[in-house]
Amino acid sequence: MKEGKLVSMDIVIQLLKEAIDASFAANPDKMILLDGFPREMEQAKKFEEAVCPAKFVLSFECSSETMTSRLLSRAKTSGRADDNIETIKKTARDIPGRHG
């Protein structure tokens, strides 16, 4: 993760399913927000087949500069190994329709 390599779609969906199932078991009336997923339509379709249909989708677009600035600000408190300039640039290149 530190290097910004993507985890396979099947693993991500399985992890999401487990977390969502646990959340619904504990709080059946609460909604769940998935931040940063899916990154592409294939992931969205697979998620809806394996987990549940989405109620709605929010999509925010920003420049690479804005994204980098926000992620570096998050890095100050997140403790995430992937909040570093090298990983941010690599991840931006891996997002469909974005070219870093």
Side-chain angles (χ1 to χ4, degrees), residues 10 17 26-28 37 42 49 52-53 60-61 64 70 79 82:
D10 291 334
K17 180 173 180 10
N27 303 293
F37 182 88
E42 182 183 351
E49 291 169 6
C52 65
F60 297 98
E61 293 186 27
S64 292
R70 290 180 180 176
D82 59 340

Side-chain angles (χ1 to χ4, degrees), residues 7-62:
V7 177
S8 79
M9 179 172 46
D10 291 334
I11 291 172
V12 170
I13 290 175
Q14 182 59 40
L15 291 171
L16 286 171
K17 180 173 180 10
E18 291 170 11
I20 289 168
D21 288 347
S23 178
F24 279 141
N27 303 293
D29 297 327
K30 300 268 181 165
M31 304 230 7
I32 295 173
L33 171 67
L34 300 179
D35 182 6
F37 182 88
R39 290 189 178 188
E40 54 191 35
M41 188 55 70
E42 182 183 351
Q43 291 175 331
K45 290 177 182 177
K46 181 80 172 182
F47 176 86
E48 288 193 330
E49 291 169 6
V51 183
C52 65
K55 300 257 183 193
F56 57 91
V57 175
L58 296 173
S59 177
F60 297 98
E61 293 186 27
C62 65

